[in-house]
Amino acid sequence: MKNSNLRIGLFDSGVGGLTVLREIYRQMPSESLLYFADSARLPYGMRSPEEILQFVREILDWMCKQDVKMVIMACNTSSALALETVRQEYDVPILGVILSGARAAVKLGKRVGVIATTATAKSHAYRQAIQEINPQTQVWEIPCPEFVRLIEQNQLHTNYTRQIAQQYLKPLLQKNIDTLIYGCTHYKHLEKTICSLLPASVQIVDPAEHIVVAAEKELSLLGLRNNCFPLPTRFCVSGPPQQFADLSRQWLGYYPQVEKIQVKELSAGMVALNPLD
Ligand code: DGL
């Protein structure tokens, strides 16, 4: 039986998963967190399913060694391509974002657009999950390969980003969608631009909000809600720590201490512990 005071682990390729982390801060402020960004290997959305599965296993092996009580895949690409396989391989509860997002969308609309990474769009994970709940709901999944790079380069409000967003949303607007899912955790960071290009009638689903509701339920069910004061969030990255800290600050509202993890040694544990080295 796990200890309820342990951290919840969450991971993404980069800063996208911070949208889930912020939701945890909002909905479950008493929980302690471990955030891992595999920034040395992003974007995941351009990787093959085999590579994604391998990366996810490496991260889970490492996270389990850090002794977490639950893992949230704060990454749609990993959830779409690896969740089903790895769920049976580890004895820690593992949650992905797709099902929570699909459930929320089905309640809201009948014509659902999904913007996602190329790998997630190709997997049709959202269409499958939505139509399993309601076969009458129509779903269009659009790959947005440029978004993650633009967000990781902090190009959130440039004209170029706006043009690209316009281009990606065009086919969905032509289909008269009534609901849009952020099918990549990074995309919430572009909320202002995306919302300015959509008619007010289109409802947005951010799976980050819904995965945290699901995680809360699961933790309560398992008797694992933390009832002590939370530990400071631990941030670990495989790429340059300073870059991650500089970029994250705007979303966290504080400058995080970031530890560097060597990707190749991921399974063997942490190699360098110097913050911001
Ligand atoms: N934020 C991730 C997702 O939700 C991964 C994006 C990427 O690295 O391509 O899919």
Side-chain angles (χ1 to χ4, degrees), residues 136-242:
Q136 262 76 58
T137 307
Q138 287 186 278
V139 183
W140 295 275
E141 295 153 299
I142 300 290
C144 307
E146 287 252 27
F147 273 172
V148 168
R149 185 182 60 82
L150 291 169
I151 294 161
E152 292 285 338
Q153 291 174 353
N154 209 12
Q155 291 191 49
L156 305 177
H157 308 293
T158 63
N159 281 339
Y160 179 73
T161 302
R162 193 178 164 78
Q163 276 165 25
I164 292 287
Q166 213 156 11
Q167 196 178 306
Y168 291 151
L169 292 171
K170 198 172 166 195
L172 295 176
L173 293 173
Q174 283 167 347
K175 295 287 178 197
N176 255 323
I177 56 162
D178 53 30
T179 306
L180 179 80
I181 303 181
Y182 293 144
C184 169
T185 49
H186 276 78
Y187 299 174
K188 167 98 173 175
H189 295 317
L190 289 179
E191 187 169 38
K192 274 202 183 125
T193 305
I194 292 172
C195 288
S196 73
L197 294 168
L198 294 172
S201 57
V202 175
Q203 313 210 59
I204 305 271
V205 173
D206 177 11
E209 287 170 28
H210 306 281
I211 184 67
V212 177
V213 175
E216 206 270 331
K217 272 190 198 146
E218 175 103 7
L219 287 172
S220 299
L221 213 70
L222 297 168
L224 286 178
R225 283 302 312 271
N226 188 21
N227 41 26
C228 301
F229 203 70
L231 302 165
T233 303
R234 197 177 151 204
F235 291 94
C236 300
V237 293
S238 57
Q242 178 110 39

Side-chain angles (χ1 to χ4, degrees), residues 12-13 16 42-46 74-77 117 120 148 183-186:
D12 180 40
S13 61
L42 69 80
Y44 274 16
M46 308 306 278
C75 170
N76 288 264
T77 311
T117 64
T120 302
V148 168
C184 169
T185 49
H186 276 78

Side-chain angles (χ1 to χ4, degrees), residues 15 20-21 52 57 61 77 94 96 115 125 141 144 232 244 259 268:
V15 294
V20 179
L21 179 121
I52 292 161
R57 281 189 176 128
D61 287 347
T77 311
I94 306 173
I115 47 174
E141 295 153 299
C144 307
F244 180 85
E259 301 166 33

